[in-house]
Amino acid sequence: MFKRIALLLAAASVSAIAPIANPVLAAQSSKPAPPELSNIVYALDKAASSQDIETVMKYYAPTFNHADGLNRDRYKQVLSELWKRYKNISYRTEISKWEKQGDLITAETVTMVQGAKAAENDNFKLDARLISTQTYKTINGQLQVISQQVLSEQSSLSTGDAPPPVKLKAPELIGVGRQYVLDAIVTEPLGTSLLLGAAIEEPVEAKNYLNDNTINLKPLRAGGLFKIGQAPFASGDRWISVVLVRESGITITSQRLRVSKDFTGNQYTPLPEPDTTPSRVRPRPNNEQTL
């Protein structure tokens, strides 16, 4: 059973308006953050790392909405379910830039998340990085988050004595209907080890945050997984996840792909890999996965 790696980034979404344990991080932004913004980021960091859901939610406005389709109640549910799966989880966020217009503050943040699964016989470890924007407004004397959008996210979930180290190459932004290349490369020699792998692509939707997925692993003839995917013919975000398994461990890597009708730039093209042939897929205009 494949546990959605992108689900784990629900926590990262919280962390995006969460942690600044070190005030120096705010100084790395284009201009010093106002105290009220730094304070809420620090408070959310502390509460989220402690898995204190009630304190975390105090900083979300009743009308909060997330670009992934989550309202405040659904957001709270996702976080509560996520934290049940992790015995510890920590957040560290930098405010990269911010601006104030009238009574609104908009901030872009970079968040690092680390965690370990809660099950006794499950030693999965999480590392994730997320970039997002949040809009804040003072409501009843308290600065609160009123909206949020994820701009970029990558994560890795690994277990075992020596899980395969994986470098994932895929675009973060692509035009509608465009093909793209996905490379998941194991960065050390396999030797005689058998490598199994598979990729899954799904739309970013509120209903998918807590879903489990069954994934069919196939033997890989090379040191990684190489595919050509097809973006859907409509704007919207996709989750791309790759599972790689060998005798000594498992690695699941995930990345968000933003599909935009306004993007017309060049698509990602990898360097040629020796003795490998990407699997090609035909376009599917009905938004189903193509990997």
Side-chain angles (χ1 to χ4, degrees), residues 155-173:
S155 64
S156 175
L157 192 65
S158 60
T159 186
D161 296 330
V166 179
K167 183 177 182 179
L168 182 63
K169 292 184 177 182
E172 293 186 346
L173 179 64

Side-chain angles (χ1 to χ4, degrees), residues 13-14 17 57 59-76 79 133-135 139 144-149:
S13 298
V14 165
I17 46 83
M57 297 312 298
Y59 298 100
Y60 286 85
T63 57
F64 168 76
N65 69 84
H66 194 289
D68 290 352
L70 304 170
N71 59 21
R72 188 180 186 277
D73 290 341
R74 179 62 170 167
Y75 200 58
K76 179 179 180 180
L79 288 174
T133 60
Q134 296 76 231
T135 301
I139 300 174
Q144 294 183 327
V145 186
I146 61 173
S147 65
Q148 184 173 35
Q149 180 181 12

Side-chain angles (χ1 to χ4, degrees), residues 249-283:
I250 302 170
T251 299
I252 306 171
T253 59
S254 182
Q255 179 174 309
R256 181 179 292 239
L257 173 65
R258 297 166 59 203
V259 181
S260 173
K261 64 181 180 180
D262 299 320
F263 182 74
T264 57
N266 293 329
Q267 306 306 308
Y268 164 75
T269 302
L271 294 175
E273 297 288 340
D275 302 323
T276 62
T277 303
S279 300
R280 295 185 176 272
V281 294
R282 292 185 176 276

Side-chain angles (χ1 to χ4, degrees), residues 2 58 66 88 100 119 129 186 189 199 201 250 262 268 271 287:
F2 167 58
K58 287 196 308 183
H66 194 289
N88 61 66
K100 186 172 184 177
R129 181 178 185 270
V186 177
E201 175 211 326
I250 302 170
D262 299 320
Y268 164 75
L271 294 175
N287 282 5

Side-chain angles (χ1 to χ4, degrees), residues 82-99:
L82 171 70
W83 289 345
K84 289 178 182 178
R85 303 181 182 187
Y86 282 81
K87 60 183 178 183
N88 61 66
I89 195 163
S90 63
Y91 304 91
R92 176 178 172 270
T93 294
E94 299 180 14
I95 301 174
S96 57
K97 57 185 177 182
W98 66 276
E99 64 177 4

